[in-house]
Amino acid sequence: MTTAIIIIIAVVAVAAIAAFFLLHGRRAGGRGLRGRFGPEYDRVVARHGGDTAAAERELGDRVKRHGHLDERPLTEEARARYAARWASAQELFVESPERALTEADALLADLSRERGFPDGEDFQDRTDALSVHHAAHVDGYRRVHAARRGGASTEEMREALIEARGLFDGLLAGGPSGREHGNRHLVEGRGTS
C-alpha cells in the first residue's frame, strides 16, 4: 500500500509540474510576442477585438513567415542616396505635404525592398514583414501610406512623416534608431503650411 501511495503522489507531482510549465509557457509566449512587437502587439489585439489568442496566432504566423529574413546591408552609396531622398522629401513638405508623403511612401518601399523585405504591390505583406524586424516603427509607415491617400490634415501628415522617420532610420542603419535626427525643421513647426 505504501508503494501505491508513493506512485500516486509521484504522478500527481509530475502532472502538477507539467501543468505549471504548460501554463507558464503560454504566458511567456504572450509576453515574448508583446516584448518583440511592442505597440504592434497592442494594435493587432485591438484589431482582433481584444482576442489575445487570435492576435498571438497572427503575430506568430508573421514570425514564421518573415522571421528568417536576413536584412541585406546597404552600400555607402545607397545609404547616401536614400538619405538625400529623405531630406528632399522633408524639404518638399513645406511646399506640398501630399507630394512629400507620396515620396516618403515610395522611398520606404524602395528602401525596404533593397534591404530584402517583400517586393510587389502587397503593402500588407510588406508591413507584416517589417513589423517582425522593426515593430516599434512600422506604424509610421502605415500612417504615411494612409495619409498620402488624402483626408489627412497638414498636422496629421507632418506627424506621420515624423513617425515614419524611425523606420527610415532603422532601415538605413540596419537596426533600431532614434526618430529625432533629421526632423528638427518639422518638429519646430517650420514644415507646416
Side-chain angles (χ1 to χ4, degrees), residues 3 13 58 77 118 138 141 143-144 169:
T3 308
E58 178 182 330
E77 297 80 24
V138 72
Y141 183 21
R143 288 185 64 196
V144 162
D169 286 344

Side-chain angles (χ1 to χ4, degrees), residues 38-59:
E40 181 72 3
Y41 179 93
D42 295 330
R43 189 187 74 77
V44 175
V45 168
R47 201 179 75 240
H48 283 281
D51 184 349
T52 57
E56 289 175 5
R57 278 191 302 275
E58 178 182 330
L59 294 171

Side-chain angles (χ1 to χ4, degrees), residues 36 62-70 132-133:
R36 178 177 190 152
R62 287 186 197 182
V63 171
K64 286 178 191 171
R65 286 185 294 137
H66 303 294
H68 66 281
L69 184 135
D70 288 324
V132 173
H133 300 273

Side-chain angles (χ1 to χ4, degrees), residues 58-187:
E58 178 182 330
L59 294 171
D61 182 52
R62 287 186 197 182
V63 171
K64 286 178 191 171
R65 286 185 294 137
H66 303 294
H68 66 281
L69 184 135
D70 288 324
E71 292 183 65
R72 295 187 296 254
L74 293 173
T75 64
E76 286 306 313
E77 297 80 24
R79 195 177 313 281
R81 185 177 70 248
Y82 283 114
R85 277 181 68 187
W86 188 268
S88 293
Q90 286 188 157
E91 290 171 13
L92 180 60
F93 189 88
V94 175
E95 183 180 315
S96 175
E98 296 84 5
R99 285 185 21 224
L101 262 62
T102 298
E103 171 57 19
D105 188 40
L107 185 154
L108 289 168
D110 293 345
L111 178 55
S112 65
R113 183 175 27 258
E114 190 164 339
R115 290 300 313 273
F117 288 93
D119 193 3
E121 296 299 317
D122 191 350
F123 179 76
Q124 184 66 43
D125 191 45
R126 187 177 318 123
T127 55
D128 283 356
L130 285 164
S131 75
V132 173
H133 300 273
H134 297 276
H137 300 295
V138 72
D139 202 48
Y141 183 21
R142 285 190 192 100
R143 288 185 64 196
V144 162
H145 191 75
R148 76 168 182 81
R149 295 176 174 216
S153 70
T154 302
E155 180 61 17
E156 289 168 331
M157 289 187 274
R158 184 184 74 82
E159 289 171 0
L161 191 61
I162 289 171
E163 190 175 343
R165 177 63 190 245
L167 178 61
F168 171 77
D169 286 344
L171 289 169
L172 195 67
S177 180
R179 297 177 1 172
E180 294 303 319
H181 174 72
N183 284 323
R184 189 172 305 315
H185 74 279
L186 289 172
V187 172

